[in-house]
Amino acid sequence: RAVKTFLARKDDLVIREAVQQELERGGQVFFVHNRVRSIHRVAEKIEQLVPHARIAVAHGQMSGKQLEEVMVGFVRHEVDILVCTTIIESGLDIPNANTIIINRADRIGLADMYQLRGRVGRSSRQSYAYLLVPSTEKMTSDAGQRLRQAVLQVGVAAVEPRHEHKQDSGNQHQQGKEQVVICAGEQG
């Protein structure tokens, strides 16, 4: 099956929904954050969004022994979400990992993006890739061009988080149901 790929503005709701969808079907998630100095903060944020998930961090500045322990734990499904750098581009096939979320996809080269997408879809289950980007104003023109190229070559759907609000009798807005809406056709 083709990897269904979505382009989304970085939003906590999109991250939580993508992770929960995968965990509900017993799968695992790669969350790629390619900045070692902030990777632990990102892992803590994901832990807040999905508190029941088992999370580990992997990056190239870890010792070989530490990295091996983390990866073995992920392979054995002792970890639900692996927050990692692009170190996972080539490596073990993990058929149970069928969702990859790439944070700041605008900072990843096109070839690297294809390699990262190739980490999922190693089983008969439907796999998903989420390319998270900041608002378009924060992206460089090169990054925008790379993402446009990915859209043309891969067929990427857009995801828009929707936060519904209900109005009470006192004209105050209450936070209502949250949902993720797919704005374009899903393509592989």
Side-chain angles (χ1 to χ4, degrees):
R1 287 185 159 184
V3 177
K4 289 187 179 179
T5 304
F6 302 97
L7 178 64
R9 183 176 43 83
K10 184 178 178 192
D11 184 273
D12 290 349
L13 178 58
V14 172
I15 295 167
R16 183 171 54 238
E17 290 292 321
V19 169
Q20 286 181 325
Q21 173 184 310
E22 188 60 45
L23 298 184
E24 284 172 4
R25 60 185 194 155
Q28 293 168 278
V29 177
F30 289 111
F31 189 99
V32 178
H33 177 77
N34 210 27
R35 295 285 190 263
V36 173
R37 73 177 166 269
S38 56
I39 198 166
H40 290 282
R41 279 195 308 274
V42 169
E44 289 169 7
K45 178 67 174 177
I46 294 169
E47 188 173 23
Q48 291 171 1
L49 294 173
V50 193
H52 62 280
R54 299 167 296 171
I55 299 171
V57 173
H59 57 77
Q61 292 182 15
M62 297 169 73
S63 72
K65 185 175 180 356
Q66 287 176 312
L67 189 56
E68 181 181 353
E69 287 174 6
V70 168
M71 293 308 296
V72 167
F74 194 60
V75 169
R76 290 182 178 160
H77 202 173
E78 296 165 359
V79 172
D80 298 313
I81 305 167
L82 183 65
V83 180
C84 54
T85 60
T86 55
I87 194 169
I88 61 152
E89 276 181 331
S90 58
L92 300 171
D93 284 346
I94 303 173
N96 203 45
N98 287 298
T99 294
I100 187 167
I101 301 168
I102 303 173
N103 192 30
R104 290 305 305 255
D106 57 307
R107 293 181 176 168
I108 307 270
L110 198 54
D112 290 336
M113 201 177 304
Y114 287 123
Q115 281 291 107
L116 290 167
R117 279 181 71 246
R119 293 291 89 211
V120 296
R122 305 285 182 148
S123 73
S124 60
R125 281 185 165 171
Q126 179 62 60
S127 55
Y128 301 92
Y130 293 84
L131 310 177
L132 302 182
V133 296
S135 64
T136 52
E137 299 85 47
K138 293 183 180 180
M139 280 194 289
T140 65
S141 62
D142 285 349
Q145 185 63 32
R146 272 194 310 276
L147 289 171
R148 278 190 287 283
Q149 191 70 22
V151 167
L152 292 173
Q153 291 183 9
V154 177
V156 177
V159 175
E160 179 182 329
R162 295 264 170 93
H163 304 272
E164 294 179 1
H165 293 278
K166 297 177 184 172
Q167 204 167 12
D168 67 12
S169 58
N171 286 334
Q172 294 180 345
H173 289 87
Q174 298 175 0
Q175 186 67 27
K177 184 180 178 187
E178 297 178 324
Q179 60 183 354
V180 173
V181 178
I182 299 170
C183 299
E186 297 176 2
Q187 300 178 12

